[in-house]
Amino acid sequence: MLPDPLLLQLFAAVSMTTVGLPPSEGREMASGGEGRLLSVDYEVFGKVQGVFFRKHTQKEAKRLGLVGWVRNTERGTVEGRLQGAEQPVRAMQAWLRAKGSPRSRIDKAEFSNQRPADRRDYPDFQVVK
């Protein structure tokens, strides 16, 4: 015997809600399946300009499914913002601390303004000039 279509609709509606989370977070989880969204700003110090650091940062962020931006600063650093699911954001933070582009030398990476995000503020990850 097949389940009642009304029961299937009810089950689908209940499955799409997330108990204990604000409605916006529940919608993100239901639509993207990525869990809690984070937004974090960063600045990377060392030999990070003139070594394709921004290009490699963009490539890694896209590989991890993150959105945001990266740019050079007048201080000789690289800064930007990451947004996405918690685990990929953590992986990108580790990449920014230790790996970077092949010709870069990272002295340190600082992270600030970490906060939960209700939604992604950017359509993809961009290099800002």
Side-chain angles (χ1 to χ4, degrees):
M1 180 170 148
L2 295 174
D4 184 339
L6 229 44
L7 279 174
L8 289 175
Q9 285 180 327
L10 179 60
F11 178 77
V14 169
S15 300
M16 295 302 279
T17 61
T18 306
V19 177
L21 293 177
S24 60
E25 286 185 90
R27 280 193 304 275
E28 277 298 333
M29 288 180 67
S31 64
E34 55 191 353
R36 184 175 147 205
L37 292 177
L38 289 181
S39 180
V40 63
D41 297 342
Y42 63 90
E43 186 168 9
V44 184
F45 300 79
K47 184 179 179 185
V48 292
Q49 291 190 7
V51 292
F52 299 99
F53 194 91
R54 292 175 300 160
K55 178 183 173 184
H56 285 270
T57 299
Q58 179 186 42
K59 182 179 176 182
E60 183 67 7
K62 285 184 172 189
R63 185 186 75 75
L64 291 168
L66 300 175
V67 299
W69 53 271
V70 61
R71 70 179 172 201
N72 285 339
T73 70
E74 292 180 3
R75 299 177 303 280
T77 64
V78 169
E79 67 180 3
R81 176 169 296 153
L82 305 169
Q83 289 185 334
E86 185 173 6
Q87 289 301 93
V89 166
R90 300 289 181 233
M92 189 68 189
Q93 287 177 306
W95 187 91
L96 289 166
R97 275 188 200 100
K99 189 163 184 179
S101 67
R103 293 176 34 205
S104 66
R105 185 197 75 247
I106 298 168
D107 293 337
K108 69 177 178 174
E110 293 181 350
F111 301 95
S112 60
N113 299 321
Q114 180 176 306
R115 61 202 173 281
D118 291 336
R119 61 179 161 59
R120 294 170 181 256
D121 294 327
Y122 309 95
D124 57 11
F125 197 93
Q126 293 291 318
V127 173
V128 179
K129 306 250 181 204

